[in-house]
């Protein structure tokens, strides 16, 4: 209950936490940044260690190695045997896991606060002392192949998304799936994983985020004790890989066992690089909210509820990334409607914004949701750590998160109309279609009508 | 009107002074059971209303009725059409969620607690609960979408396996009956109206409130929700499920991976066997990366990415379930390993070290179960809906700590009889 007095203050300041020093930050001599966000509502803590390394840093023939290494990180060091990491976290009453994305690889533990120092010791140990054992690798690579089968190979919708990105991007590494192509997993060796680890797992390529019922000064002291002795090392230069400008629409069809067709329309879209100077990524985010931010937002209201052309329709747009951006419109046509019908309906909604704009009421609604979301997000310590981790992973400072909100609040209806006119351009469009196939060889519904 | 004081479980675990949450409970004048946790840390409020109106109450031949009734609640109510409901909620940044499972139909509201947000949000909640319209055209639309979704689910190996597993576990009980395109196809609007009239009443409701609210405000608010509901009668449970005859169901599918479920009906909510089963299952397959199943199936052999076991106690005997997915050609081997692990555990129970590790994790992780309003809401709503003791959370660590290896062996012997085990595979060679 100690934060009770702070809440009105937080709200009065327009949800700005800038006036409070929280979160706190320090950088160790070896280059490791430590960010602490104190939250005293419950006696728990979250530690996340983020490495600035993801599938985008892989090379052809070795796709998936970032994720495989993430699995190997649980396989032991000279002082912590194979499987022992999980055992110690469990003994501490904690939960742990890890995830790999295109841009980063991150590890986390949620623990009772008394156990935080033990978790820091464990993470520091595996930051520089991992054993990449060949025998462990031999078993674990099979586990990763099973993971790929589960997530992608037997999931036609996921496979469509994988293929779409392989077509939308030709030069940029975002064309490769994070989990890796199956053939690359089959030929991968323990030496590949070891080389990845030796190159990229150094304190100056990482940052630690801790949220919870902790004192930042104590956490900094523990960080110095456990992470401080690790040696930093210069990182190899990373080449900037720029996707050539797309000069015409692209199409990809995936056939798979399913009942319902799926349409994805992916447009190349801008990414936030400069929080202060950029404006289009904010306007596109508000557009996404107006089209798909609640049950009566435009897509659901018009396409699903009124015209019944779609069983579902949505938009996905993430305006932060290290690499290039995409905005996806997606949906499934209703019984009796085709992919072409759905595509026409989605396009008509975009044209409506291009011609008539959006109402101030719609914009106000999207902003009200944003404000409430800022309060709701404080309900999760893990969510707060994630927010800081993700923004930092793309090279933007977490101190400017509040400023991003201000920028979103300042988006006007004219801004939204302008980005709708600018980015929904067929020359930058990739269309992906899932063509559902019967499981038993008997056609169950008419073939999908596509336009190519 | 009994106020519970925080129990002194710190005696057990000297490092843990976190003593759970203070649940206030009363019955509203209109007859609904109310559970309230005051939490002033964040300026927000969660309200969840649970009715015993899950799929177990679907009439024979009308499977899918409970789910569709719940889904249609907020698609038009009182003077508000479905668009007005969604827009007005969005205007104040409130979220209305929920759904129906086997036992419960839930309607959950999250709103900012400032009066100018909270009052309109609660008005919408009440309207949705008290005066749903079940508009005929919207009903037909949602019915068509539900049928399409069911057809899609029937192409997915995990859904196919799950449905077959429940059907085999509960051959003569509503838990085994599931919505099909055909059963949903027979539903009409009147079915929804009748189901709503029967089950969405005060006697059949529990209301959980967590957040920035005083006790007095909570009482007023809960009664405003309850008083607009018919007084009604609590749902009547069917005869409890019987143990099935064990057996193997194999279903064909073109997937590269086989989906495997092994299990049986095991235990209901509130049964004293629950704590021995919980603690024992941690070692067997519940303890994430450190369980025996994980060690043998994943770490030693690389057979699966995900392998687990759990007990899911329900209003009536809920399942014990082992699940895994593996390359179709090695399904047989993986099943054998999982069965061997289970048999070994049934025979010997956990070792002393395993038991100690299970207790350390389950008691040590207790604060993590309650470190957000959302988690508190989920826990307290379960306590309220299932009528668990109000000190359930306060006693949780002590109950875990008191479990012995013998109790685990005996509870497993009673609840997991090998001759009743159902095995379902989809896409196994």
């Amino acid at each position: 209950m100690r934060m009770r007095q702070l809440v009105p203050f937080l709200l009065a300041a327009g949800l700005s936490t800038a006036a409070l020093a929280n979160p706190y930050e320090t950088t160790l001599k070896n280059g490791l940044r430590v960010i602490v966000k104190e939250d005293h509502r419950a006696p728990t803590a979250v530690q996340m260690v983020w490495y600035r390394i993801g599938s985008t840093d892989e090379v052809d023939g070795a796709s998936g190695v970032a994720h495989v290494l993430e699995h190997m990180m649980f396989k032991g060091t000279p002082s912590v045997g194979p499987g022992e990491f999980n055992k110690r976290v469990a003994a501490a009453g904690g939960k742990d896991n890890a995830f790999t994305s295109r841009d980063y690889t991150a590890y986390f533990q949620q623990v009772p606060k008394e156990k935080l120092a033990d978790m820091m010791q464990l993470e520091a140990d595996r930051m520089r002392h991992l054993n990449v054992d060949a025998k462990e690798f031999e078993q674990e690579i099979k586990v990763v192949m099973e993971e790929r089968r589960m997530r992608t190979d037997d999931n036609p919708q996921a496979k469509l998304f994988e293929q779409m990105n392989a077509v939308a991007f030709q030069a940029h590494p975002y064309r490769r799936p994070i989990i890796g192509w199956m053939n690359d997993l089959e030929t991968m060796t323990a030496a590949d994983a070891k080389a990845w680890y030796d190159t990229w797992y150094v304190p100056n390529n990482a940052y630690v985020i801790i949220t919870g019922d902790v004192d930042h000064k104590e956490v900094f002291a523990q960080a110095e004790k456990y992470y401080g002795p690790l040696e930093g090392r210069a990182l190899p230069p990373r080449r900037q890989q720029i996707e050539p400008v797309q000069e015409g629409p692209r199409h990809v069809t995936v056939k798979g066992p399913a009942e319902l067709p799926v349409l994805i329309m992916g447009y190349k879209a801008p990414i936030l690089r400069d929080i202060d100077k950029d404006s289009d990524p904010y306007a596109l985010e508000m557009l996404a909210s107006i089209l798909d931010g609640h049950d009566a937002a435009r897509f659901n209201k018009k396409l699903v509820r009124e015209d019944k052309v779609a069983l579902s329709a949505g938009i996905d747009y993430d305006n932060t990334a290290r690499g290039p951006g995409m905005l996806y419109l997606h949906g499934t046509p209703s019984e009796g409607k085709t992919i072409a019908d759905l595509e026409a309906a989605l396009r008509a909604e975009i044209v409506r914004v291009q011609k008539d704009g959006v109402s101030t009421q719609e914009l106000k609604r999207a902003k009200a949701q944003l404000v409430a979301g800022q309060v709701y997000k404080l309900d999760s310590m893990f969510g707060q750590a994630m927010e800081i981790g993700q923004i930092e992973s793309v090279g933007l400072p977490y101190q400017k998160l509040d400023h991003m909100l201000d920028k979103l609040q300042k988006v006007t209806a004219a801004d939204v109309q302008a980005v709708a006119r600018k980015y929904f351009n067929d020359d930058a469009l990739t269309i992906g279609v899932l063509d559902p196939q019967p499981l038993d060889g008997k056609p169950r519904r008419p073939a999908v009508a596509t336009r190519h | 009107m009994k106020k519970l004081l925080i129990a002194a479980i710190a005696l057990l675990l000297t490092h843990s002074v976190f003593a759970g949450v203070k649940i206030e409970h009363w019955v509203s004048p209109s007859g609904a059971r109310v559970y309230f946790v005051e939490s002033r840390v964040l300026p927000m409020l969660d309200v969840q209303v649970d009715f015993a109106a899950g799929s177990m109450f679907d009439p024979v031949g009308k499977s899918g009725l409970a789910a569709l009734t719940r889904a249609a609640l907020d698609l038009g109510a009182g003077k508000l059409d479905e668009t007005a409901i969604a827009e007005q909620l969005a205007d104040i940044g409130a979220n209305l969620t929920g759904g129906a499972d086997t036992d419960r139909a839930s309607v959950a509201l999250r709103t900012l607690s400032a009066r100018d947000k909270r009052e309109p949000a609660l008005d919408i909640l009440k309207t949705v609960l008290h005066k749903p319209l079940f508009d005929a055209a919207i009903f037909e639309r949602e019915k068509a979408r539900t049928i399409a979704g069911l057809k899609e689910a029937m192409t997915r190996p995990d859904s196919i396996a799950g449905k077959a597993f429940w059907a085999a576990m509960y051959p003569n009980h509503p838990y085994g009956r599931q919505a099909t395109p055909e059963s949903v196809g027979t539903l009409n609007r009147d079915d929804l109206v009748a189901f709503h009239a029967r089950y969405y009443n005060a006697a059949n409701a529990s209301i959980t409130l967590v957040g920035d609210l005083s006790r007095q405000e909570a009482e007023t608010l809960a009664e405003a929700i309850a008083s607009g509901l018919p007084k009604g009668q609590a749902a009547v449970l069917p005869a409890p499920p019987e143990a099935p005859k064990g057996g193997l169901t194999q279903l064909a599918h073109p997937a590269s991976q086989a989906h495997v479920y092994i299990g049986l009906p095991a235990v209901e909510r509130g049964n004293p066997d629950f704590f021995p089963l919980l603690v024992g299952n941690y070692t067997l397959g519940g303890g994430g990366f450190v369980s025996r199943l994980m060690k043998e199936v994943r770490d030693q052999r690389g057979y699966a990415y995900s392998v687990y076991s759990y007990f899911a106690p329900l209003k009536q005997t809920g399942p014990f379930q082992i699940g895994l997915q593996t390359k179709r050609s090695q399904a047989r081997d993986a099943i054998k390993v999982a069965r061997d692990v289970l048999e070994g555990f049934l025979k010997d129970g956990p070792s002393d070290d395993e038991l100690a590790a299970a207790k350390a994790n389950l008691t040590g992780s207790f604060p993590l179960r309650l470190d957000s309003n959302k988690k508190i809401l989920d826990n307290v709503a379960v306590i309220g809906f299932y009528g668990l003791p109000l000190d359930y959370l306060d006693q949780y660590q002590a109950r875990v700590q008191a479990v012995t290896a013998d109790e685990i062996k005996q509870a497993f012997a009673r609840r997991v009889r090998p001759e009743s085990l159902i095995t379902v595979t989809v896409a196994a060679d």
Side-chain angles (χ1 to χ4, degrees):
Chain A
M1 309 283 161
R2 272 161 282 176
M3 272 186 67
R4 170 73 177 145
Q5 312 86 294
L6 289 182
V7 170
F9 176 75
L10 281 170
L11 291 173
L15 287 165
S16 164
T17 50
L20 310 167
N22 201 12
Y24 305 87
E25 180 179 343
T26 190
T27 304
L28 307 184
K29 283 201 189 73
N30 57 20
L32 182 75
R33 289 173 66 207
V34 182
I35 301 162
V36 178
K37 188 170 186 189
E38 295 187 7
D39 180 341
H40 302 287
R41 57 188 310 212
T44 61
V46 178
Q47 171 177 239
M48 302 190 94
V49 180
W50 293 65
Y51 293 90
R52 298 182 182 279
I53 189 74
S55 67
T56 195
D57 302 292
E58 296 163 354
V59 295
D60 279 352
S63 66
V65 70
H67 171 251
V68 168
L69 196 272
E70 176 223 297
H71 277 240
M72 293 306 295
M73 282 286 276
F74 295 87
K75 296 300 175 184
T77 67
S79 50
V80 178
E84 186 69 21
F85 190 100
N86 291 130
K87 233 185 234 173
R88 292 201 195 175
V89 176
K95 291 178 191 168
D96 69 320
N97 215 325
F99 44 92
T100 306
S101 95
R102 287 167 160 181
D103 296 340
Y104 58 80
T105 310
Y107 303 80
F108 68 86
Q109 300 84 38
Q110 297 165 277
V111 287
K113 64 173 179 175
E114 303 82 7
K115 305 293 185 179
L116 177 64
D118 297 345
M119 300 302 110
M120 294 172 76
Q121 185 174 13
L122 279 170
E123 280 290 11
D125 177 45
R126 70 176 175 179
M127 183 174 280
R128 293 296 294 124
H129 305 120
L130 188 70
N131 275 339
V132 183
D133 178 79
K135 265 178 102 177
E136 294 285 342
F137 179 89
E138 201 182 312
Q139 294 308 325
E140 200 59 28
I141 195 74
K142 291 186 206 161
V143 171
V144 174
M145 287 188 237
E146 293 295 348
E147 186 178 356
R148 186 186 153 86
R149 288 186 188 100
M150 188 179 80
R151 287 191 195 280
T152 310
D153 293 348
D154 288 345
N155 182 336
Q157 294 77 14
K159 208 184 266 177
L160 172 64
F161 191 71
E162 177 177 278
Q163 301 264 330
M164 270 212 55
N165 285 308
V167 170
F169 296 109
Q170 299 186 329
H172 195 275
Y174 278 4
R175 71 184 186 282
R176 289 188 296 261
I178 295 167
I179 198 158
W181 300 111
M182 188 60 105
N183 181 243
D184 290 352
L185 298 176
E186 284 162 355
T187 57
M188 197 175 290
T189 65
D192 294 325
K194 174 86 168 97
W196 185 262
Y197 178 76
D198 288 343
T199 309
W200 298 114
Y201 278 65
V202 287
N204 46 308
N205 195 36
Y207 49 100
V208 177
I209 300 165
I210 285 157
T211 55
D213 188 13
V214 298
D215 175 341
H216 67 279
K217 285 187 217 124
E218 282 173 30
V219 174
F220 288 165
Q222 303 282 18
E224 186 58 54
K225 178 175 170 191
Y226 295 118
Y227 291 102
L230 304 176
E231 270 179 48
R233 178 158 29 77
L235 297 166
R238 302 193 208 207
R239 293 180 201 202
Q240 195 183 11
Q241 303 185 72
I242 295 177
E243 178 69 16
V245 173
Q246 187 176 336
E247 293 168 317
R250 296 170 189 168
H251 294 87
V252 58
T253 301
V254 170
K255 293 183 171 184
E259 170 70 19
L260 303 171
V262 174
L263 168 69
I264 307 179
M265 300 170 72
Y267 296 87
K268 298 280 163 61
I271 286 291
L272 193 57
R273 304 289 178 206
D274 185 317
I275 286 175
D276 298 303
K277 290 189 189 133
D278 287 347
S279 54
D280 288 359
Y282 299 110
L284 278 168
E285 190 172 329
M286 297 316 280
L287 173 65
S289 179
I290 288 167
L291 293 175
D292 187 29
H294 56 91
D295 287 348
R298 288 190 176 198
F299 277 0
N300 204 45
K301 179 170 189 279
K302 178 82 169 137
L303 307 184
V304 177
R305 291 178 166 183
E306 286 174 14
D307 295 350
K308 303 181 185 63
V309 65
L311 292 169
S312 65
I315 180 168
D316 276 330
Y317 171 61
D318 186 349
N319 63 14
T320 60
R322 276 169 56 196
M326 291 278 282
L327 181 154
Y328 303 93
L329 310 181
H330 54 86
T332 290
S334 300
E335 185 92 38
K337 300 289 183 183
T338 63
I339 286 287
D341 294 333
L342 177 58
E343 183 185 332
L346 287 165
R347 285 176 179 276
E349 282 308 299
I350 300 302
V351 168
R352 195 149 72 96
V353 179
Q354 290 170 337
K355 278 174 67 179
D356 307 331
V358 299
S359 72
T360 49
Q361 185 58 36
E362 285 173 299
L363 200 55
K364 212 177 132 196
R365 190 169 290 140
K367 291 174 182 178
Q369 290 182 282
L370 215 59
V371 171
Q374 290 308 306
V375 174
Y376 302 153
K377 88 174 181 202
L378 296 175
D379 196 36
S380 165
M381 294 208 204
F382 186 78
Q384 294 177 70
M386 275 299 288
E387 184 182 41
I388 294 172
Q390 281 183 317
I391 198 74
E392 284 289 329
S393 76
V394 302
L396 297 175
Y398 69 87
Q399 294 91 339
K400 292 219 165 173
L401 281 165
D402 292 334
H403 194 58
M404 288 168 65
L405 281 169
D406 291 343
K407 294 279 284 186
L408 282 168
Q409 291 292 342
K410 287 188 181 128
V411 169
T412 66
D415 296 335
V416 173
Q417 188 173 22
V419 291
R421 286 177 175 163
K422 188 168 169 187
Y423 292 105
F424 293 89
N425 164 8
D426 274 14
D427 287 348
L429 171 63
T430 302
I431 293 186
V433 171
L434 172 64
D435 184 358
Q437 302 297 305
L439 273 64
D440 51 9
K442 289 180 227 147
R444 215 185 282 104
R445 92 182 248 164
V448 185
T450 52
R451 304 189 308 155
H452 52 96
Chain B
M1 303 288 274
K2 170 175 80 168
K3 280 199 181 188
L4 284 181
L5 291 174
I6 294 165
I9 49 170
L11 289 175
L12 274 166
L13 289 160
T14 49
H15 64 267
S16 174
V17 292
F18 187 59
V21 297
K22 189 177 105 181
I23 304 171
E24 299 186 46
H25 168 57
W26 63 93
V27 175
S28 85
S30 298
R33 289 166 293 131
V34 186
Y35 301 83
F36 171 51
V37 176
E38 182 175 337
S39 170
R40 301 290 197 163
V41 182
L42 296 173
M44 54 186 257
L45 170 67
D46 287 283
V47 182
Q48 180 167 322
V49 186
D50 292 306
F51 298 95
S55 63
M56 71 187 294
F57 303 106
D58 282 344
V60 175
K62 297 195 173 185
S63 292
L65 178 56
L68 205 46
T69 303
R70 167 59 194 91
L73 276 189
D74 47 355
L75 301 178
K79 292 186 177 127
L80 305 175
D81 66 13
E82 57 179 349
T83 299
I85 290 172
E87 286 183 348
Q88 289 182 20
L89 286 165
D91 280 339
I92 50 176
N95 300 323
L96 194 61
T97 57
D101 61 21
T102 53
D103 297 354
R104 275 193 286 182
S106 306
V107 182
L109 173 75
R110 169 163 278 196
T111 176
L112 299 174
S113 56
R115 198 169 280 273
D116 66 327
K117 305 287 190 301
R118 185 179 91 201
E119 297 290 339
L122 289 163
D123 283 345
I124 294 170
L125 174 67
K126 283 182 281 181
T127 306
V128 160
L129 289 170
H130 300 157
K131 298 173 199 159
L133 297 172
F134 299 117
D135 175 88
I138 290 175
F139 165 71
E140 290 301 331
R141 183 191 74 206
E142 293 306 311
K143 184 169 146 179
R145 291 180 68 211
T146 302
I147 290 171
L150 288 167
K151 286 182 181 171
E152 174 65 30
M154 286 164 65
T155 68
R156 298 185 180 181
D158 54 338
S159 305
I160 295 170
K163 283 168 185 278
F165 184 57
W166 281 73
M169 282 193 298
Y170 298 100
N172 301 309
H173 186 275
Y175 284 163
R177 296 199 294 264
Q178 289 150 83
T180 62
E182 294 72 31
S183 74
V184 173
T186 67
L187 300 179
N188 59 53
R189 182 190 169 270
D190 293 344
D191 292 321
L192 270 66
V193 173
F195 190 85
H196 180 261
R198 168 63 189 90
Y199 293 106
Y200 286 73
N201 62 56
N204 206 31
S206 54
I207 301 172
T208 309
L209 307 106
V210 176
D212 182 19
L213 208 63
S214 71
R215 163 72 186 243
Q216 199 184 351
E217 287 169 322
E219 283 186 25
T220 308
L221 201 161
E223 177 56 11
I225 291 171
S227 65
L229 295 166
K231 268 217 153 34
Q233 287 178 336
V236 179
L237 296 179
E242 294 155 13
K245 223 175 95 198
L248 171 66
T249 307
Q250 291 172 288
L251 300 168
H253 191 282
S256 65
Q257 243 185 356
H259 288 245
V260 177
Y261 290 132
I262 303 168
L264 78 180
V267 69
E268 72 281 1
R269 282 274 177 195
N271 189 292
D273 274 348
F274 176 68
F275 278 95
L277 295 174
L278 174 77
V279 176
N281 185 62
Y282 180 90
T283 298
L284 174 60
F289 291 111
V290 297
S291 74
R292 285 192 192 178
L293 281 170
M294 193 61 111
K295 221 171 291 168
E296 295 299 322
V297 176
R298 174 169 158 156
D299 294 349
Q300 300 292 323
R301 294 175 180 81
Y303 278 168
Y305 172 67
S306 156
V307 56
Y308 59 82
S309 66
Y310 63 76
F311 290 87
L314 296 174
K315 196 88 191 168
Q316 296 185 303
T317 322
F320 164 73
Q321 177 173 331
I322 295 173
L324 64 91
Q325 305 85 33
T326 191
K327 189 159 74 176
R328 57 186 301 150
S329 59
Q330 68 199 12
R332 228 174 272 217
D333 299 333
I335 292 172
K336 176 154 191 338
V337 173
R339 288 294 297 252
D340 287 350
V341 169
L342 175 61
E343 272 158 40
F345 188 80
L346 290 174
K347 189 164 159 280
D348 301 324
S351 70
D352 290 348
D353 284 353
E354 285 173 326
L355 182 59
K359 289 180 178 181
N361 179 268
L362 291 169
T363 58
S365 65
F366 182 72
L368 291 172
R369 295 167 64 91
L370 298 168
D371 65 357
S372 73
N373 286 16
K374 178 73 175 74
K375 292 181 189 175
I376 293 170
L377 178 77
D378 290 345
N379 277 289
V380 175
V382 163
I383 289 168
F385 180 78
Y386 289 106
L388 302 180
L390 283 183
D391 63 354
Y392 178 83
L393 294 172
D394 303 327
Q395 296 297 327
Y396 182 91
Q397 289 166 301
R399 297 287 297 272
V400 166
Q401 205 62 257
V403 168
T404 67
D406 255 3
E407 286 170 349
I408 291 171
K409 270 179 72 175
Q410 287 165 22
F412 269 80
R414 276 192 294 273
R415 302 287 162 180
V416 184
R417 293 178 186 275
E419 68 274 16
S420 294
L421 280 173
I422 301 289
T423 302
V424 170
T425 68
V426 172
D429 283 342

